[in-house]
Amino acid sequence: MHGPYRHDLIALVVATRTLEKFLRALADRAMEYTPDCDGCGVTLERRGQPLTVASTGDSATRLDEKQYGQDAGPCLEALRTGREVSVPDMIAERRWGAYGAFAVAHGTLSSLSVPIAAWAGTAGALNLYSSRSDGFATADLPFLRSLAAEATGAVALAQAMADSQTALPRMRERLASRTLVGQAAGIVMAERGTTHREALEVLMETAQERGVGLSDVSAELVARYGGTPGDEGTAGEGGAPSAP
């Protein structure tokens, strides 16, 4: 037993920095405390699509993918129902069609799938496999259940971190483009004495005529004016050329 079932998974998220690395560390930790386990995978399902996001050992990925292919199996049942699914003897297993025979043919004789509670559209399961029949009879089940339960909040945090890392470059690109268009509009306003709205219309009409993007036209104008796109500044030594 492992005393009070507390796992510093939030610290693990921060230390690993990505969702995939965190889940791999989670699988490693589960396998470390389950001596007869020879494979562990973490399945997440978003919008009805299951995926083994992380695995350790030889058996997990192969067996998980077999279940995804037939859309049935212990790990899918665990994540979709929120209930623990134990398979003590794959040879006698008949619940999921040919899956039991497939597992036996690939050297797996028992398994245990512990659900990771759904959060923000993402459900999951911690899937452990053993080459022995009844391979989880002596496993520390309270430890594994606690690990999966606490993983719920950590998965949510890791997913939010992953989403923010994906969104940040797009946000920066949009902000840079907006700054560039603003600079180009300022040049048009100075040269033609137009309002800001009229300057934007000039830029948009030019972009349409040339079949290019608004940011492309803006970058060209700012560069011709003597500045560097994205910099705050005034005209270069040559003065202001004509706007588009």
Side-chain angles (χ1 to χ4, degrees), residues 87-119:
V87 184
D89 183 7
M90 285 288 183
I91 295 175
E93 185 54 62
R94 298 292 183 271
R95 279 178 286 182
W96 304 286
Y99 171 74
F102 177 88
V104 172
H106 288 84
T108 294
L109 298 184
S110 59
S111 72
L112 177 68
S113 295
V114 184
I116 296 173
W119 186 91

Side-chain angles (χ1 to χ4, degrees), residues 129-178:
Y129 301 97
S130 175
S131 59
R132 299 178 56 183
S133 293
D134 213 13
F136 301 95
T138 60
D140 191 341
L141 296 182
F143 173 82
L144 294 174
R145 291 163 183 159
S146 176
L147 188 67
E150 290 191 32
T152 300
V155 166
L157 175 59
Q159 184 64 59
M161 288 172 62
D163 290 344
S164 67
Q165 289 168 356
T166 300
L168 187 57
R170 293 198 299 265
M171 184 180 299
R172 287 174 175 165
E173 184 178 343
R174 287 196 297 268
L175 289 172
S177 177
R178 186 175 301 174

Side-chain angles (χ1 to χ4, degrees), residues 62-128:
R62 179 170 53 243
L63 294 176
D64 288 349
E65 289 181 351
K66 172 63 176 178
Q67 296 175 67
Y68 306 156
Q70 66 179 36
D71 197 33
C75 83
L76 294 182
E77 184 167 322
L79 72 85
R80 290 172 179 172
T81 66
R83 294 193 297 270
E84 189 174 298
V85 179
S86 175
V87 184
D89 183 7
M90 285 288 183
I91 295 175
E93 185 54 62
R94 298 292 183 271
R95 279 178 286 182
W96 304 286
Y99 171 74
F102 177 88
V104 172
H106 288 84
T108 294
L109 298 184
S110 59
S111 72
L112 177 68
S113 295
V114 184
I116 296 173
W119 186 91
T122 300
L126 184 65
N127 310 304
L128 301 106

Side-chain angles (χ1 to χ4, degrees), residues 174-197:
R174 287 196 297 268
L175 289 172
S177 177
R178 186 175 301 174
T179 299
L180 190 62
V181 171
Q183 290 174 328
I187 294 171
V188 176
M189 291 168 64
E191 288 196 338
R192 300 194 178 186
T194 64
T195 65
H196 184 264
R197 181 172 182 175

Side-chain angles (χ1 to χ4, degrees), residues 12 16 19-32 54 147:
L12 186 60
T16 53
L19 178 61
E20 183 178 356
K21 289 180 180 179
F22 161 71
L23 293 175
R24 173 60 186 269
L26 180 69
D28 287 340
R29 185 167 294 184
M31 197 166 169
E32 178 184 354
L147 188 67

